[in-house]
Amino acid sequence: MAVRLRLTRVGARKDPRWRVVVADQRSPRDGRVIETIGHYNAQTDPSTVVIDAERARSWLARGAQPSATVRRLLRTQGIEVARG
């Protein structure tokens, strides 16, 4: 099973908010998730990014691969992600 850290959309129409989740890469974008580890709102100024660093590091240590956007969000939060 390939596990990914990625975003899932929540919020109203034309008011997107995103949850940072751990999910099987085969499940759909807004489908079943293993764990929610944070949230992201690009509509605020500045953008709101809240990620549980301890849980993110735990999943990364177990081999979960972040999506490109989540990789950037983790970097802004000071969580190092090894390229691979």
Side-chain angles (χ1 to χ4, degrees):
M1 175 169 84
V3 178
R4 302 216 17 124
L5 273 60
R6 65 184 188 197
L7 298 176
T8 186
R9 186 183 162 136
V10 293
R13 184 169 51 111
K14 296 191 177 184
D15 184 24
R17 296 193 182 120
W18 303 88
R19 286 187 185 141
V20 181
V21 299
V22 180
D24 185 324
Q25 75 176 15
R26 296 170 295 186
S27 63
R29 180 192 75 181
D30 298 336
R32 191 172 70 188
V33 302
I34 299 169
E35 181 180 2
T36 300
I37 61 170
H39 58 88
Y40 167 57
N41 185 356
Q43 302 296 313
T44 59
D45 187 25
S47 296
T48 305
V49 180
V50 177
I51 298 175
D52 184 341
E54 185 178 317
R55 295 302 300 151
R57 285 188 186 100
S58 171
W59 280 105
L60 291 168
R62 288 190 251 173
Q65 291 297 311
S67 67
T69 305
V70 172
R71 181 183 302 275
R72 188 171 34 96
L73 293 175
L74 290 172
R75 199 173 303 129
T76 64
Q77 296 296 300
I79 303 168
E80 272 306 308
V81 181
R83 279 275 189 197

